[in-house]
Amino acid sequence: MAECLHLPMLVKLLDYRKAAQLFIKSRSKIIRQIKPHTGSVIQYIQKLSSSTFTLINETIVDFKEIFAEYPQMYSLLISTFIQKEMKHFAELFKHQVFQTGRTALSFKEAT
């Protein structure tokens, strides 16, 4: 998170692309640390979904505030953050529901 402390300075120095990359990198790191530990598939998916999508939403709101004067950076947010985090979420979901050796009940629980 120390990287985020440099964001205002980078933005002021007009190195807004580097600032955006650092911001996105730090937020991705936080999301990748989400490891909901629960007994049931449904609880795991609920906690994973809630945590992931809350953090994605907060990141979008913060990004829009920090980089309001640089709307050209929104494509960076989409391509290097949102798309990657959605793929990561889908992989965790798929692994939990289909590849953990659980029964067909896991799939029914999660849908």
Side-chain angles (χ1 to χ4, degrees), residues 41-107:
V41 173
I42 194 74
Q43 288 175 329
Y44 176 91
I45 298 301
Q46 286 173 338
K47 287 184 179 184
L48 178 67
S49 299
S50 176
S51 300
T52 300
F53 296 121
T54 297
L55 285 169
I56 288 173
N57 184 58
E58 289 173 0
T59 299
I60 293 167
V61 169
D62 292 345
F63 192 93
K64 288 169 77 175
E65 182 180 316
I66 294 168
F67 300 99
E69 296 179 30
Y70 308 100
Q72 65 273 29
M73 290 289 95
Y74 292 179
S75 63
L76 186 68
L77 176 67
I78 294 166
S79 64
T80 63
F81 178 72
I82 297 171
Q83 288 178 346
K84 288 182 181 179
E85 295 312 321
M86 292 301 295
K87 286 179 185 175
H88 178 71
F89 171 82
E91 286 299 318
L92 291 175
F93 181 95
K94 182 174 74 172
H95 177 75
Q96 186 66 25
V97 174
F98 299 110
Q99 298 174 354
T100 56
R102 298 179 189 255
T103 65
L105 181 59
S106 297
F107 176 72

Side-chain angles (χ1 to χ4, degrees), residues 5-19 22 66-67 69-70:
L5 298 175
H6 302 295
L7 289 178
M9 182 178 290
L10 287 170
V11 171
K12 285 180 184 175
L13 293 172
L14 297 179
D15 197 353
Y16 51 86
R17 185 169 182 79
K18 180 69 172 172
L22 285 173
I66 294 168
F67 300 99
E69 296 179 30
Y70 308 100

